[in-house]
Amino acid sequence: MLALYQTGQAARPLQWFRRHVTLITYGVSSDDNAPVPPLMAEPLERLASTALERIREAPSAEHLESVRIEVLGRKGALAQVSKDMGKLAAGERARVGRLLNEAKRAVEEAIEARRGDFERAALQSRLEAEWIDLTLPAPGPRPGSLHPITQITREIEELFTSLGFAVLSGPEVETEHNNFDALNIPADHPARDTMDTFFVEGGHLLRTHTSPVQVRGMLRFGPPLRMIAPGRVFRNEEVDASHDHTFHQVEGMMVDRDVSVAHLIYFMKTMLSAIFRREIAVRLRPGYFPFVEPGFELDIQCLLCGGAGCAVCKQSGWVEQMGCGMVHPNVLRSSGIDPDVWSGFAFGLGLTRLAMMRYGIDDIRLLLGGDLRFLRQF
Ligand code: 2NL
């Protein structure tokens, strides 16, 4: 690469030097007589003034940096001049050296100044975008919400406590006796197949319903007795959108002298009207549960069509809601209550199904899945 090309004379005035010393900083011409391209012919001063102009007009800090590298960098234009100075005569070299230093300082200062412009502009735009009003009151902790099943459970608890019922709870790991035998479901009873569950070492099992809590209630308090037992129960289920291995129910019972189906109907209507927040019509059909006699399937009049018939009630006007009945004498006896003196009604209501109906949840697995995006909606 050709660089400084020297006109020969040593002691020319500076002005002359500025006009005539030609810097060839880029490229090589194969033909020495060919006109030198304008960029290659840039005198040092023009190199500097072009650089200063590019610095002034640099649109961004990144662009400015690329100008800096081109001009001041190790392989930049000024470095090239500096390298080519070796070919000058000693006197010329000193003058060119001075010029070079001046140019370098001017360019460096201009770059610093322009960089300062960009930094101030960047700070200004951050200050405009990121300000906060410190006089505003703090937002405080984000409020949480109760799980939909907890909400329904609490409503039902409130209603029943207002009607003189106790709210009881009991262990989720139960004895086979409390979960089955005491409920008129002996070892060889076919109902055991429909309530397959998880057994743990030592013969205990995960309760399949909250009935064992009622057994404990009867043993502990005796009659007369009004109680409900909401809670988590377990079944060995093939899990899909409508079956989970873990779900919630509430059972309840009232044992007193002369309790009849009339009492049962009154309390069920009252409970369901509170849950659905309107007057609910109910219908009883015979239904089988080993722990009651007689046992009933309780239907409510369809809330969508009011009983006229629609897709939800399959044109029948009624929707199956829960099971209930009069406590079986064997069950009373097992828990130390004389069925000749006392009678009672009992019921079981699926809270999981109720929550799904109320909130339009179409997959049971969402309820216990723990996904906050789901839970935050309640
Ligand atoms: C259903 C049906 C029912 C009961 C639960 C009960 C408990 C005792 C004695 C007598 Cl200790 N009965 N519970 C009675 C009838 C039906 O549940 O389909 N539940 C979701």
Side-chain angles (χ1 to χ4, degrees):
M1 189 190 285
L2 259 172
L4 271 178
Y5 105 24
Q6 202 181 357
T7 51
Q9 273 63 21
R12 303 274 179 169
L14 189 60
Q15 285 309 314
W16 180 93
F17 172 84
R18 286 185 174 169
R19 249 176 288 121
H20 298 283
V21 172
T22 309
L23 293 167
I24 299 169
T25 54
Y26 308 103
V28 175
S29 173
S30 56
D31 177 358
D32 281 344
N33 295 322
V36 181
L39 192 63
M40 297 173 86
E42 230 170 21
L44 181 52
E45 194 174 62
R46 269 189 56 204
L47 180 74
S49 75
T50 304
L52 293 176
E53 195 177 318
R54 290 180 67 196
I55 291 163
R56 231 179 0 259
E57 285 168 6
S60 68
E62 292 72 30
H63 190 94
L64 181 65
E65 176 62 7
S66 70
V67 173
R68 188 190 67 77
I69 291 166
E70 263 177 58
V71 180
L72 297 175
R74 211 157 40 82
K75 293 178 182 164
L78 292 181
Q80 191 58 53
V81 173
S82 169
K83 216 193 271 172
D84 294 339
M85 271 171 43
K87 294 169 189 160
L88 292 172
E92 287 282 293
R93 190 157 47 218
R95 267 201 296 278
V96 174
R98 242 186 334 274
L99 268 179
L100 184 63
N101 284 339
E102 264 171 41
K104 208 168 175 178
R105 207 180 51 243
V107 170
E108 280 169 353
E109 277 169 10
I111 286 178
E112 261 332 290
R114 191 84 182 105
R115 201 194 320 258
D117 289 346
F118 287 127
E119 278 165 9
R120 272 188 301 281
L123 179 63
Q124 192 57 38
S125 69
R126 275 191 65 192
L127 286 172
E128 276 159 23
E130 297 178 16
W131 66 275
I132 52 168
D133 183 348
L134 294 175
T135 66
L136 284 174
R142 182 180 170 149
S145 58
L146 294 176
H147 192 285
I149 288 176
T150 306
Q151 291 184 32
I152 292 186
T153 304
R154 294 213 181 156
E155 282 176 28
I156 292 172
E157 288 175 358
E158 217 159 286
L159 170 73
F160 275 101
T161 47
S162 81
L163 297 172
F165 284 64
V167 178
L168 300 188
S169 60
E172 293 176 337
V173 177
E174 264 292 359
T175 62
E176 201 175 326
H177 175 85
N178 285 348
N179 195 80
F180 290 126
D181 303 87
L183 293 161
N184 203 28
I185 310 173
D188 57 356
H189 197 287
R192 291 223 180 183
D193 295 339
T194 66
M195 299 180 196
D196 191 17
T197 186
F198 304 92
F199 287 77
V200 299
E201 277 167 26
H204 288 62
L205 49 79
L206 294 190
R207 68 186 185 191
T208 60
H209 39 205
T210 58
S211 312
V213 182
Q214 313 218 74
V215 170
R216 289 167 182 271
M218 286 188 280
L219 288 167
R220 171 125 172 226
F221 300 110
L225 183 66
R226 297 179 196 196
M227 58 169 289
I228 61 167
R232 192 162 69 148
V233 300
F234 310 87
R235 301 269 167 100
N236 182 12
E237 285 279 2
E238 196 69 56
V239 172
D240 62 28
S242 47
H243 301 86
D244 208 347
H245 49 71
T246 305
F247 54 99
H248 289 75
Q249 67 161 189
V250 57
E251 286 199 20
M253 70 182 347
M254 173 170 144
V255 180
D256 209 325
R257 291 183 168 88
D258 303 318
V259 172
S260 71
V261 174
H263 296 96
L264 168 65
I265 293 172
Y266 167 78
F267 280 100
M268 295 304 96
K269 266 186 75 111
T270 303
M271 171 176 73
L272 293 165
S273 299
I275 289 170
F276 293 107
R277 297 174 184 140
R278 57 171 130 160
E279 187 71 16
I280 295 289
V282 305
R283 173 178 89 168
L284 296 184
R285 286 176 292 117
Y288 177 73
F289 304 98
F291 22 84
V292 286
E293 181 57 36
F296 307 106
E297 296 283 356
L298 186 151
D299 300 337
I300 62 171
Q301 200 156 51
C302 181
L303 297 171
L304 258 108
C305 63
C310 68
V312 166
C313 60
K314 298 186 191 108
Q315 309 307 326
S316 75
W318 297 91
V319 178
E320 191 175 322
Q321 189 62 44
M322 54 182 292
C324 54
M326 301 307 293
V327 182
H328 197 289
N330 290 350
V331 173
L332 291 174
R333 228 181 334 260
S334 299
S335 295
I337 296 173
D338 182 353
D340 294 329
V341 181
W342 307 97
S343 60
F345 71 78
F347 65 91
L349 176 66
L351 293 173
T352 299
R353 211 184 77 143
L354 209 57
M356 291 174 74
M357 277 174 58
R358 174 182 286 185
Y359 298 109
I361 299 163
D362 61 5
D363 191 326
I364 194 172
R365 292 167 290 195
L366 288 166
L367 279 166
L368 298 180
D371 189 329
L372 290 177
R373 293 169 303 178
F374 168 76
L375 293 172
R376 273 204 260 272
Q377 299 175 78
F378 299 97

